[in-house]
Amino acid sequence: MNTRGGDAENTDSSIPHVPRPLRQTHDLRTLQALQPMNRHHMRMQLLDAVDEDRRGVDVLLTALQQAVAEVHGLGGMVHLPGAGMSGILYLVADSGLPESITRPWLIIPVRGTAPPSKAARNDTIAWQPDLAPPDPVPGRDPAATWPARLTAGIGHLAVPIASGGSRRGALSVLFAPGATVGAAERAFLSEVAAWMSGRLRSSGILNPSPTLLRAPENEPVPREAASPSDVEEAPSLTYTWDLHTGELTSEVPVEEVLAGIDPKVMSGGIEAWAELIHPDDLPDAVAGFDTGIQRRGGFRNEYRIRRQDGTYVWIEASARTITDAEGKPVKVIGTLRDSSETHAAAETVGRALQHMSDGFVSLDTDWRIEFLNQAAERLLGAAGDVAGALLWDIPLVHAAPELEQRCRATAAEGRPAGFDIPGPDGASWYHLRLVPVPEGLTLYITDTTERHLREAERVAAERAAAERASVVQRITRELAEAVTAQDVMTAVADVVMAPLGASGLIMLGVVGDRLDVIGSQGYSKHFARLLDGQWTLRDTASPVVDALRTHTPLCVSSPEEFLKRYPGTEILIKEGGKQAWAFLPLAVSGRGIGAAVIGFQEPRVLDDEERTLLTALSGLIAQALERAGLYDDATTRARTLQRSLLPQALPELPEVTTAARYQSAKQGADVGGDWYDVIPLSAARVALVIGDVMGHGMAEAATMGRLRTAVRTLSELELPPDEILGHLNDIVAELGTDAFVTCLYGIYDPVTRCLSYASAGQPPPAVAHPDGAVTFLSMTPDPPLGVAAPPFETRETLLPADSLLALYSDGLVESKDRDVTTGMNRLAELLRDSVQAMPDSTTDASDLDALCAALTSALLPAHGALIDDAALLLVRTHSLDAENVAEWPLPEDPVAAGQARSLVRAQLTDWDLADEDLIMTTELLVSELVGNVVRHAYGPIRLRMLRSRALICEVSDASLTTPHIRHSSATDEGGRGLQLISALCQRWGTRHTPAGKSIWTEQPLPAASG
């Protein structure tokens, strides 16, 4: 090989010698007299002075000689990765080393343990204190040719050389035994390696592959390698390469086919043949062989070999790998032929390609750029910058993300394909034609920006005409679906403004003799308020009134015309910010109902076609606005009915703090049937109710009102939850087979903090504990009311103090995009995040009201997207402290009444309720209740007093007999006790319990107590 510097005749020495630098412009003694850092700088200046035209191995050899001389090395080598081959490094240059040393280093693996392999693989400096042979590769065993008489302790240092992408080569230097390699030497070698890397990248790919240039532009070429019989007839040589021994054999002498080649080359084996390959072609040639061997298949390559007279000839090599029974490669059989004539023609074609007006790019089988002409360089970048780069990494290609897929599909199909892509600037366009060739793909790039601009202008004109023609059809359809006045406003803004090029729209409606603003778009809220009621039907100088009077659209083309026709309107022109206007009268059956004002950003004169269009629009908009007014009236009545059926306000109770939200899924008269309620019960208990009547409409709303009234009536009877639902089930069943209602009824007792509840088809309530944990109440999934079969099941649960209870209808958690389970999980997540941020044990309903708003906003979609009504009732439970509860057993004896009076007086005194009137009234009530139990019932008897929202007294016994007020005549001796109780207390009643019954009374507390 001609890639070595130094003493080429010293082939028998086993000890490397210090090389002589080939090119020195300064005396060696001058360099040695300099300080190391200055000397390093001088060396790099020498390298920078190397002509840019000098490329390839010659440049690498010059840099290698400078590096070895500067660090006082014995010799050096440069290894680079092969083109298209991964995993192998090839020796491309060496200096100062005998052939016995360099031969084992011709081909080494990247994954090896030698310093060049480690430096290239890990991108770091690698050092080995004792030189050793590299790791073997298929067909080569470096240890077998390693010099036997080699001095021990020779150091081996390698630094990485970047060669494009993530693939790297290595610059390595051998040092005499005992030599010290310091940081300065390592830094200098790294700087030389960086210089080599820059020169390698700048050299680029200057000539396209000859095989690619032979491919016709418009005809597909198979990607498979052609066999020798497919090309032009030429003498060929068949050879065999034994991968174990490296021996080369041929059927005929090599000089008969390749004139001028040394006849002895075949006897020298594969290394002798590699010596003849041109240094620039050696990496590609060896890579081609190595790829074919690793893939166990055929391969093809072209490279130059040296004749005996020193000139080079191009040859085309085709081969295939032969494996043994175990699939291991054992030999390579191939053919060689002279391809110099083909390359001569290719050079002519290459010059023509360079000066084509269209861009031309040649890609290899790995989609890397092999060649590009001057036109392509202007688009993709200089050849030195993009040569060897993946096509997909080029900025222009980023604008066409589908290019990679199309290239691969074209290569797979083997047929040419073309398509347009936008340029990276967003304004230019290019037509790409892809033509498959045996060694990759050719790409032709034509600038089609002007054609695209003309096409875009034509399409835009046709689109504008089509949009203008379809305005009436679109606005008719949109207005037919418009329900409210705001819907009409939105439809006109969406459909009319864009085709007319308008920038503002205001809809006015006649209210009495005033013109009030219905809605606006493209104007500020301040201007809308300014215009609201500005004009009346009595005005004689108003553009809106003039349009309504003539029933014809009125067009004003400029502010000057506006002021001339309607003086004193300067403020409206200034605040509105428009330069031209069209006033459309809206009239139905000759009766003016409003006007639409369309504004333009620039002065404008509307043509006859646009005026005709506005006239047609006036009638369509007027009819839609009239229908919207009727709909709004019906909506108002329906909303009023629904508001009257729901609680006007939730009661303020010390036992619970509540807040609620209701959202209807429908607009207009299609109101829903969801409801909620909070009902105070005896003994400071509270009933919590939520229900849902299936369907929408006035009938469903009426059913909801009937059921809510029934629930409140049944609650007055002090019935348990299961019996309440049983009675409601009977009521719903009487309404017919189409009625279905879900309902949950619960009773919260603040004394025990117990919640008893029953459900008919409702989702389980969520309970947010004070610590932030959220759970759902367990319940049996009973059918809805109307189809259920009583009895219902009553469940009980103990709530932690100050828990937050969320009762909701399924419309809150279920939507067309979310099932009930997902919605419940989302509700729990929101409750958990919100409750932790709320104050504990608050009785302020504003916090719960804000939480209600936040939950409904997060869980419900936009109003028009609701598929069901949604109701939410939040309840913060509070316990009744033990100090506010007093309870005693009483004997079944007439003396019990006296004891009760004493206990009452003492307890009221303890509670600071020492008002004598209150004490005497309470004693009389308790005495009467206990006396009735002693006379008419049986024990055990208990007395309980509660201080809550009222003063509550309860007397319990084991009898199930319910007392009733009787009408007593003037001569009756009894029957007046309950009449007396009814007169003395605020309210009273009887509640059945598992052990019997309780008769209770409630008295208002004094204003200063509690």
Side-chain angles (χ1 to χ4, degrees):
M1 298 176 65
N2 65 344
T3 60
R4 299 187 177 91
D7 187 359
E9 300 301 326
N10 187 11
T11 58
D12 297 328
S13 174
S14 60
I15 302 297
H17 63 278
V18 178
R20 298 190 306 272
L22 291 182
R23 297 166 178 83
Q24 298 288 346
T25 58
H26 293 75
D27 186 80
L28 179 61
R29 290 171 297 178
T30 303
L31 285 176
Q32 290 175 343
L34 295 174
Q35 292 294 326
M37 294 306 298
N38 293 335
R39 193 170 61 248
H40 293 177
H41 182 66
M42 183 71 71
R43 297 277 188 189
M44 295 308 302
Q45 285 185 327
L46 291 176
L47 292 181
D48 290 337
V50 175
D51 294 339
E52 292 289 340
D53 294 337
R54 294 181 55 200
R55 299 178 179 180
V57 175
D58 191 23
V59 174
L60 298 179
L61 184 58
T62 299
L64 178 61
Q65 291 171 337
Q66 292 288 344
V68 172
E70 176 60 27
V71 299
H72 305 292
L74 299 176
M77 299 176 287
V78 175
H79 287 83
L80 292 177
M85 176 60 196
S86 60
I88 297 296
L89 294 174
Y90 307 101
L91 178 64
V92 297
D94 64 87
S95 175
L97 300 176
E99 185 177 354
S100 58
I101 293 293
T102 60
R103 182 177 297 276
W105 296 92
L106 285 177
I107 304 175
I108 64 174
V110 174
R111 294 292 178 182
T113 58
S117 300
K118 290 182 177 180
R121 182 175 69 252
N122 301 326
D123 193 21
T124 184
I125 298 176
W127 166 258
Q128 189 177 44
D130 195 359
L131 182 66
D135 299 271
V137 295
R140 293 184 57 83
D141 184 8
T145 59
W146 192 251
R149 297 180 293 107
L150 190 62
T151 303
I154 297 177
H156 191 178
L157 180 75
V159 297
I161 301 174
S163 62
S166 60
R167 307 174 68 189
R168 290 175 292 272
L171 161 66
S172 58
V173 177
L174 304 185
F175 291 89
T180 301
V181 183
E185 287 78 5
R186 294 174 182 241
F188 174 72
L189 291 179
S190 297
E191 191 172 359
V192 173
W195 184 89
M196 289 181 176
S197 175
R199 276 303 180 93
L200 288 173
R201 282 196 293 267
S202 65
S203 64
I205 300 173
L206 303 181
N207 294 295
S209 168
T211 304
L212 294 180
L213 296 178
R214 290 199 306 270
E217 175 181 349
N218 297 316
E219 295 184 8
V221 179
R223 293 179 58 85
E224 292 80 4
S227 63
S229 61
D230 295 331
V231 300
E232 184 180 353
E233 290 295 332
S236 62
L237 169 73
T238 301
Y239 69 91
T240 301
W241 172 21
D242 190 314
L243 297 178
H244 292 298
T245 64
E247 180 183 2
L248 285 176
T249 58
S250 61
E251 296 178 350
V252 297
V254 66
E255 64 272 16
E256 293 184 9
V257 177
L258 302 176
I261 302 300
D262 186 356
K264 301 179 182 179
V265 67
M266 301 300 284
S267 60
I270 192 63
E271 282 78 9
W273 182 263
E275 288 280 355
L276 299 182
I277 299 176
H278 193 285
D280 291 345
D281 299 341
L282 179 61
D284 286 347
V286 180
F289 279 101
D290 193 66
T291 301
I293 293 171
Q294 288 192 353
R295 294 179 179 177
R296 276 59 166 176
F299 51 94
R300 182 182 179 190
N301 206 344
E302 288 184 290
Y303 51 86
R304 292 164 290 179
I305 59 174
R306 187 177 68 251
R307 296 187 180 99
Q308 287 180 296
D309 60 3
T311 61
Y312 285 88
V313 59
W314 278 99
I315 66 169
E316 183 179 279
S318 300
R320 59 189 178 89
T321 304
I322 306 300
T323 60
D324 59 14
E326 297 179 356
K328 296 181 179 180
V330 294
K331 60 183 177 180
V332 173
I333 298 178
T335 59
L336 303 172
R337 76 173 185 87
D338 189 333
S339 61
S340 298
E341 293 184 3
T342 301
H343 275 271
E347 291 177 1
T348 302
V349 176
R351 286 191 296 270
L353 288 175
Q354 281 286 358
H355 297 89
M356 285 175 55
S357 60
D358 291 344
F360 176 83
V361 180
S362 173
L363 305 175
D364 64 13
T365 55
D366 291 328
W367 310 105
R368 296 185 180 274
I369 297 177
E370 287 187 324
F371 169 80
L372 68 167
N373 66 358
Q374 295 176 358
E377 286 189 70
R378 289 193 291 270
L379 298 173
L380 305 183
D385 297 331
V386 301
L390 279 173
L391 180 63
W392 334 122
D393 295 338
I394 305 301
L396 176 65
V397 180
H398 293 169
E402 75 282 2
L403 179 61
E404 179 177 358
Q405 179 180 357
R406 293 200 178 192
C407 284
R408 295 185 185 278
T410 300
E413 294 173 1
R415 294 196 301 269
F419 56 92
D420 291 347
I421 65 169
D425 58 0
S428 56
W429 282 85
Y430 300 93
H431 179 76
L432 303 186
R433 179 163 180 79
L434 310 175
V435 181
V437 295
E439 294 183 359
L441 197 73
T442 57
L443 181 64
Y444 299 85
I445 308 174
T446 304
D447 190 333
T448 58
T449 302
E450 291 188 8
R451 178 169 61 83
H452 270 273
L453 288 176
R454 292 193 299 269
E455 179 68 14
E457 292 174 356
R458 183 187 64 80
V459 171
E462 292 180 355
R463 184 184 301 112
E467 289 179 354
R468 190 182 297 272
S470 66
V471 167
V472 174
Q473 180 180 0
R474 291 173 56 198
I475 192 63
T476 301
R477 182 176 62 254
E478 295 292 333
L479 291 178
E481 298 176 357
V483 177
T484 67
Q486 288 299 322
D487 292 341
V488 175
M489 167 72 196
T490 301
V492 175
D494 292 345
V495 178
V496 176
M497 290 179 61
L500 291 176
S503 61
L505 172 67
I506 289 184
M507 296 275 294
L508 302 172
V510 175
V511 180
D513 65 345
R514 287 163 40 97
L515 288 167
D516 292 343
V517 174
I518 296 174
S520 67
Q521 184 167 325
Y523 290 93
S524 66
K525 293 182 179 179
H526 171 72
F527 180 74
R529 289 193 298 269
L530 178 65
L531 194 61
D532 194 30
Q534 175 74 21
W535 290 315
T536 69
L537 297 179
R538 297 189 303 272
D539 293 337
T540 57
S542 165
V544 174
V545 176
D546 287 350
L548 284 172
R549 184 175 57 254
T550 61
H551 298 287
T552 303
L554 175 63
C555 300
V556 181
S557 60
S558 67
E560 292 77 16
E561 181 183 353
F562 201 115
L563 286 173
K564 181 178 180 181
R565 298 178 64 172
Y566 304 101
T569 56
E570 294 87 349
I571 186 65
L572 294 179
I573 297 175
K574 178 181 179 181
E575 294 292 337
K578 306 304 178 187
Q579 301 293 307
W581 302 263
F583 297 89
L584 278 61
L586 306 179
V588 177
S589 301
R591 175 174 55 88
I593 63 170
V597 183
I598 301 176
F600 302 89
Q601 202 66 36
E602 301 294 336
R604 175 175 178 178
V605 177
L606 298 177
D607 57 30
D608 293 339
E609 291 184 1
E610 291 172 328
R611 291 172 182 262
T612 302
L613 174 63
L614 293 178
T615 301
L617 292 177
S618 296
L620 295 173
I621 298 171
Q623 294 174 12
L625 195 62
E626 176 74 1
R627 292 194 303 270
L630 298 175
Y631 178 84
D632 289 341
D633 292 341
T635 299
T636 301
R637 291 192 296 270
R639 296 301 182 200
T640 301
L641 170 63
Q642 190 163 47
R643 284 195 299 269
S644 66
L645 295 176
L646 288 172
Q648 300 301 306
L650 296 176
E652 295 183 6
L653 305 173
E655 296 83 11
V656 292
T657 305
T658 58
R661 280 289 186 282
Y662 172 81
Q663 179 65 62
S664 174
K666 298 291 184 178
Q667 296 182 351
D670 283 338
V671 293
D674 290 20
W675 89 94
Y676 54 85
D677 215 340
V678 177
I679 306 170
L681 300 178
S682 64
R685 298 172 306 138
V686 181
L688 308 173
V689 189
I690 192 161
D692 181 5
V693 179
M694 305 298 181
H696 297 88
M698 301 295 285
E700 283 74 12
T703 299
M704 178 265 284
R706 294 174 61 184
L707 293 177
R708 179 170 176 258
T709 301
V711 169
R712 296 189 71 89
T713 301
L714 293 170
S715 297
E716 292 292 332
L717 299 178
E718 302 280 0
L719 299 177
D722 58 330
E723 294 187 26
I724 294 282
L725 293 187
H727 288 295
L728 291 178
N729 186 66
D730 295 338
I731 295 174
V732 174
E734 293 174 359
L735 298 177
T737 56
D738 294 334
F740 297 97
V741 180
T742 61
C743 182
L744 183 141
Y745 186 93
I747 298 176
Y748 172 66
D749 188 342
V751 177
T752 62
R753 291 187 284 106
C754 178
L755 175 69
S756 58
Y757 59 94
S759 174
Q762 277 291 123
V767 180
H769 297 237
D771 61 359
V774 178
T775 60
F776 288 92
L777 295 181
S778 62
M779 59 174 55
T780 303
D782 288 321
L785 300 175
V787 295
F792 293 90
E793 181 182 9
T794 296
R795 290 176 173 262
E796 293 185 351
T797 185
L798 185 64
L799 298 178
D802 299 314
S803 296
L804 180 62
L805 195 62
L807 289 76
Y808 54 92
S809 61
D810 56 356
L812 183 72
V813 294
E814 184 179 20
S815 68
K816 60 183 179 181
D817 300 323
R818 181 180 63 202
D819 58 30
V820 173
T821 302
T822 303
M824 290 171 59
N825 292 336
R826 177 59 177 157
L827 172 62
E829 178 183 344
L830 293 171
L831 281 174
R832 182 166 48 251
D833 295 340
S834 301
V835 168
Q836 292 178 345
M838 293 179 63
D840 296 334
S841 188
T842 178
T843 59
D844 186 2
S846 61
D847 291 335
L848 282 189
D849 193 67
L851 178 57
C852 255
L855 291 177
T856 53
S857 175
L859 290 170
L860 296 180
H863 184 70
L866 285 175
I867 62 174
D868 194 8
D869 300 334
L872 172 64
L873 175 61
L874 293 182
V875 181
R876 170 81 74 180
T877 61
H878 309 293
S879 60
L880 193 60
D881 296 336
E883 63 182 16
N884 292 318
V885 180
E887 186 174 6
W888 308 274
L890 297 175
E892 297 182 50
D893 189 270
V895 300
Q899 292 182 11
R901 288 192 294 271
S902 300
L903 293 171
V904 165
R905 178 174 289 274
Q907 187 60 52
L908 291 178
T909 302
D910 289 344
W911 281 345
D912 293 329
L913 300 175
D915 181 76
E916 189 61 27
D917 290 340
L918 177 63
I919 293 175
M920 291 181 64
T921 300
T922 307
E923 287 179 336
L924 183 56
L925 289 171
V926 171
S927 178
E928 187 63 30
L929 291 176
V930 173
N932 282 341
V933 171
V934 172
R935 288 192 300 271
H936 304 293
Y938 52 88
I941 305 173
R942 298 190 65 84
L943 170 63
R944 186 171 71 158
M945 296 181 65
L946 305 177
R947 182 176 60 171
S948 181
R949 59 178 178 265
L951 178 61
I952 301 170
C953 297
E954 290 184 345
V955 176
S956 303
D957 60 57
S959 172
L960 297 178
T961 303
T962 302
H964 299 283
I965 297 179
R966 296 186 304 168
H967 177 72
S968 301
S969 64
T971 59
D972 288 341
E973 295 182 358
R976 295 183 177 84
L978 293 181
Q979 294 179 8
L980 179 62
I981 291 173
S982 179
L984 293 175
C985 66
Q986 190 174 43
R987 66 180 190 137
W988 72 280
T990 303
R991 179 178 74 255
H992 288 281
T993 65
K997 69 174 183 299
S998 291
I999 305 175
W1000 53 270
T1001 64
E1002 286 188 6
Q1003 301 167 259
L1005 292 170
S1009 57

